Amino acid sequence: MSPVRRIAAGLALATIATLAIATPASAHDQLISSTPAADERLTTPPEDITMTFSGELLVLDESLTGAVVLVVDASGEDWVAGDVTVAGRTVTASLAPGLPTGGYQVRWQVVSEDGHPIAGVIPFTVGDADPMAQTSNTGDATAAPADTSEQADQNAESGGALRVLLIGAGGAATAVLILVLIRFLRRPRTAAAPPETGGPAADDL
């Protein structure tokens, strides 16, 4: 194998190894759709909340789904009625009848397929009312954390993946430099030319 091909092969292997290490950092499931949708304004109160995720959620058994869904108004009252059901990638929570006009927040927390808890907030409005203010202290203390905590977790994972990529890139660059240096040191040296003899010979003196 030529030196150029050896260098290219080493760089490719270093890149593949780096991507294989960095990929699991972004493997958590994500919320891909919901009814009501985020910031949606409804003319009539909804009967239930439905959320669909990118992967099947982790369920331990029928009595312990690991999913928490609260639908709170500005006063902190929870309007979820009955149990929260998890079926594959879908989470459904029935609501008490007669939601009054106002702003609401769906505060949810589920367990991703990889066993990692994920959480978020879906705001929506019923009728001609102002949206509910984004606050983290409204409602029960057991409510699912707001988007800020999930975003912080994702930012930390992104930062970790970026550090892994930088380290891998630095390692690949170092490997290339070492190969080039070895190639340079092993390059055959040209023999030194004999000195020119233009003066009189020693025996003629």
Side-chain angles (χ1 to χ4, degrees), residues 128-149:
D128 189 15
D130 294 330
M132 181 177 168
Q134 294 288 340
T135 58
S136 58
N137 296 326
T138 304
D140 195 329
T142 60
D147 281 337
T148 53
S149 61

mmCIF file of all heavy atoms in Angstrom, residues 128-149:
data_model
loop_
_atom_site.group_PDB
_atom_site.id
_atom_site.type_symbol
_atom_site.label_atom_id
_atom_site.label_comp_id
_atom_site.label_asym_id
_atom_site.label_seq_id
_atom_site.Cartn_x
_atom_site.Cartn_y
_atom_site.Cartn_z
ATOM 1 N N ASP A 128 -60.961 32.576 23.208
ATOM 2 C CA ASP A 128 -60.294 33.858 22.971
ATOM 3 C C ASP A 128 -59.657 34.341 24.268
ATOM 4 O O ASP A 128 -60.130 35.287 24.905
ATOM 5 C CB ASP A 128 -61.314 34.868 22.432
ATOM 6 C CG ASP A 128 -60.635 36.152 21.971
ATOM 7 O OD1 ASP A 128 -59.397 36.129 21.808
ATOM 8 O OD2 ASP A 128 -61.344 37.163 21.792
ATOM 9 N N ALA A 129 -58.594 33.693 24.653
ATOM 10 C CA ALA A 129 -57.913 34.031 25.907
ATOM 11 C C ALA A 129 -56.423 34.174 25.646
ATOM 12 O O ALA A 129 -55.897 33.732 24.619
ATOM 13 C CB ALA A 129 -58.167 32.956 26.968
ATOM 14 N N ASP A 130 -55.758 34.819 26.579
ATOM 15 C CA ASP A 130 -54.308 34.967 26.461
ATOM 16 C C ASP A 130 -53.624 33.642 26.795
ATOM 17 O O ASP A 130 -54.076 32.901 27.680
ATOM 18 C CB ASP A 130 -53.798 36.053 27.412
ATOM 19 C CG ASP A 130 -54.310 37.439 27.026
ATOM 20 O OD1 ASP A 130 -54.537 37.644 25.809
ATOM 21 O OD2 ASP A 130 -54.479 38.278 27.926
ATOM 22 N N PRO A 131 -52.538 33.330 26.115
ATOM 23 C CA PRO A 131 -51.796 32.100 26.462
ATOM 24 C C PRO A 131 -51.300 32.162 27.891
ATOM 25 O O PRO A 131 -51.065 33.236 28.454
ATOM 26 C CB PRO A 131 -50.636 32.097 25.461
ATOM 27 C CG PRO A 131 -51.092 32.972 24.335
ATOM 28 C CD PRO A 131 -51.960 34.019 24.961
ATOM 29 N N MET A 132 -51.130 31.006 28.475
ATOM 30 C CA MET A 132 -50.626 30.923 29.842
ATOM 31 C C MET A 132 -49.167 31.322 29.878
ATOM 32 O O MET A 132 -48.371 30.924 29.021
ATOM 33 C CB MET A 132 -50.809 29.493 30.362
ATOM 34 C CG MET A 132 -50.339 29.284 31.786
ATOM 35 S SD MET A 132 -50.686 27.591 32.321
ATOM 36 C CE MET A 132 -49.727 27.521 33.825
ATOM 37 N N ALA A 133 -48.801 32.138 30.856
ATOM 38 C CA ALA A 133 -47.423 32.582 30.988
ATOM 39 C C ALA A 133 -46.513 31.402 31.269
ATOM 40 O O ALA A 133 -46.888 30.477 32.000
ATOM 41 C CB ALA A 133 -47.300 33.627 32.097
ATOM 42 N N GLN A 134 -45.321 31.416 30.685
ATOM 43 C CA GLN A 134 -44.363 30.337 30.883
ATOM 44 C C GLN A 134 -43.703 30.489 32.251
ATOM 45 O O GLN A 134 -42.844 31.332 32.458
ATOM 46 C CB GLN A 134 -43.288 30.380 29.793
ATOM 47 C CG GLN A 134 -43.816 30.097 28.401
ATOM 48 C CD GLN A 134 -44.184 28.638 28.215
ATOM 49 O OE1 GLN A 134 -43.725 27.788 28.953
ATOM 50 N NE2 GLN A 134 -45.010 28.354 27.235
ATOM 51 N N THR A 135 -44.155 29.685 33.192
ATOM 52 C CA THR A 135 -43.576 29.699 34.535
ATOM 53 C C THR A 135 -43.230 28.279 34.936
ATOM 54 O O THR A 135 -43.873 27.325 34.516
ATOM 55 C CB THR A 135 -44.550 30.289 35.572
ATOM 56 O OG1 THR A 135 -45.760 29.514 35.562
ATOM 57 C CG2 THR A 135 -44.869 31.737 35.254
ATOM 58 N N SER A 136 -42.216 28.145 35.765
ATOM 59 C CA SER A 136 -41.791 26.814 36.212
ATOM 60 C C SER A 136 -42.307 26.476 37.596
ATOM 61 O O SER A 136 -42.119 25.366 38.070
ATOM 62 C CB SER A 136 -40.260 26.737 36.217
ATOM 63 O OG SER A 136 -39.727 27.732 37.065
ATOM 64 N N ASN A 137 -42.955 27.427 38.285
ATOM 65 C CA ASN A 137 -43.393 27.186 39.653
ATOM 66 C C ASN A 137 -44.892 26.937 39.754
ATOM 67 O O ASN A 137 -45.430 26.812 40.845
ATOM 68 C CB ASN A 137 -43.041 28.392 40.540
ATOM 69 C CG ASN A 137 -41.538 28.591 40.638
ATOM 70 O OD1 ASN A 137 -40.772 27.635 40.629
ATOM 71 N ND2 ASN A 137 -41.112 29.852 40.705
ATOM 72 N N THR A 138 -45.589 26.907 38.603
ATOM 73 C CA THR A 138 -47.033 26.722 38.630
ATOM 74 C C THR A 138 -47.367 25.255 38.777
ATOM 75 O O THR A 138 -46.801 24.408 38.110
ATOM 76 C CB THR A 138 -47.662 27.259 37.331
ATOM 77 O OG1 THR A 138 -47.281 28.621 37.197
ATOM 78 C CG2 THR A 138 -49.154 27.131 37.358
ATOM 79 N N GLY A 139 -48.316 24.946 39.666
ATOM 80 C CA GLY A 139 -48.820 23.585 39.751
ATOM 81 C C GLY A 139 -48.060 22.740 40.735
ATOM 82 O O GLY A 139 -47.255 23.197 41.531
ATOM 83 N N ASP A 140 -48.348 21.440 40.666
ATOM 84 C CA ASP A 140 -47.804 20.468 41.591
ATOM 85 C C ASP A 140 -46.293 20.361 41.438
ATOM 86 O O ASP A 140 -45.757 20.447 40.337
ATOM 87 C CB ASP A 140 -48.445 19.090 41.306
ATOM 88 C CG ASP A 140 -48.209 18.122 42.448
ATOM 89 O OD1 ASP A 140 -47.170 18.221 43.110
ATOM 90 O OD2 ASP A 140 -49.088 17.275 42.658
ATOM 91 N N ALA A 141 -45.598 20.135 42.529
ATOM 92 C CA ALA A 141 -44.144 20.021 42.474
ATOM 93 C C ALA A 141 -43.707 18.763 41.758
ATOM 94 O O ALA A 141 -42.562 18.654 41.334
ATOM 95 C CB ALA A 141 -43.561 20.029 43.890
ATOM 96 N N THR A 142 -44.629 17.798 41.591
ATOM 97 C CA THR A 142 -44.271 16.565 40.887
ATOM 98 C C THR A 142 -44.469 16.679 39.392
ATOM 99 O O THR A 142 -44.317 15.700 38.672
ATOM 100 C CB THR A 142 -45.135 15.398 41.401
ATOM 101 O OG1 THR A 142 -46.525 15.699 41.161
ATOM 102 C CG2 THR A 142 -44.916 15.173 42.879
ATOM 103 N N ALA A 143 -44.818 17.878 38.927
ATOM 104 C CA ALA A 143 -45.046 18.057 37.496
ATOM 105 C C ALA A 143 -43.765 17.795 36.732
ATOM 106 O O ALA A 143 -42.665 17.965 37.235
ATOM 107 C CB ALA A 143 -45.540 19.488 37.205
ATOM 108 N N ALA A 144 -43.954 17.401 35.473
ATOM 109 C CA ALA A 144 -42.793 17.154 34.632
ATOM 110 C C ALA A 144 -42.032 18.444 34.440
ATOM 111 O O ALA A 144 -42.621 19.520 34.330
ATOM 112 C CB ALA A 144 -43.254 16.611 33.271
ATOM 113 N N PRO A 145 -40.714 18.417 34.409
ATOM 114 C CA PRO A 145 -39.924 19.626 34.242
ATOM 115 C C PRO A 145 -40.196 20.294 32.917
ATOM 116 O O PRO A 145 -40.603 19.662 31.948
ATOM 117 C CB PRO A 145 -38.476 19.117 34.318
ATOM 118 C CG PRO A 145 -38.563 17.661 34.029
ATOM 119 C CD PRO A 145 -39.898 17.218 34.532
ATOM 120 N N ALA A 146 -39.946 21.576 32.866
ATOM 121 C CA ALA A 146 -40.227 22.359 31.673
ATOM 122 C C ALA A 146 -39.175 22.089 30.620
ATOM 123 O O ALA A 146 -38.201 21.384 30.822
ATOM 124 C CB ALA A 146 -40.274 23.851 32.016
ATOM 125 N N ASP A 147 -39.369 22.712 29.437
ATOM 126 C CA ASP A 147 -38.462 22.514 28.325
ATOM 127 C C ASP A 147 -37.043 22.935 28.646
ATOM 128 O O ASP A 147 -36.101 22.464 28.041
ATOM 129 C CB ASP A 147 -38.947 23.316 27.106
ATOM 130 C CG ASP A 147 -40.085 22.604 26.387
ATOM 131 O OD1 ASP A 147 -40.192 21.383 26.538
ATOM 132 O OD2 ASP A 147 -40.846 23.284 25.697
ATOM 133 N N THR A 148 -36.899 23.872 29.606
ATOM 134 C CA THR A 148 -35.565 24.367 29.903
ATOM 135 C C THR A 148 -34.664 23.253 30.412
ATOM 136 O O THR A 148 -33.489 23.181 30.058
ATOM 137 C CB THR A 148 -35.639 25.486 30.939
ATOM 138 O OG1 THR A 148 -36.394 25.018 32.079
ATOM 139 C CG2 THR A 148 -36.324 26.716 30.365
ATOM 140 N N SER A 149 -35.193 22.354 31.262
ATOM 141 C CA SER A 149 -34.369 21.259 31.762
ATOM 142 C C SER A 149 -34.012 20.283 30.647
ATOM 143 O O SER A 149 -32.892 19.793 30.566
ATOM 144 C CB SER A 149 -35.095 20.514 32.882
ATOM 145 O OG SER A 149 -36.298 19.952 32.401
#
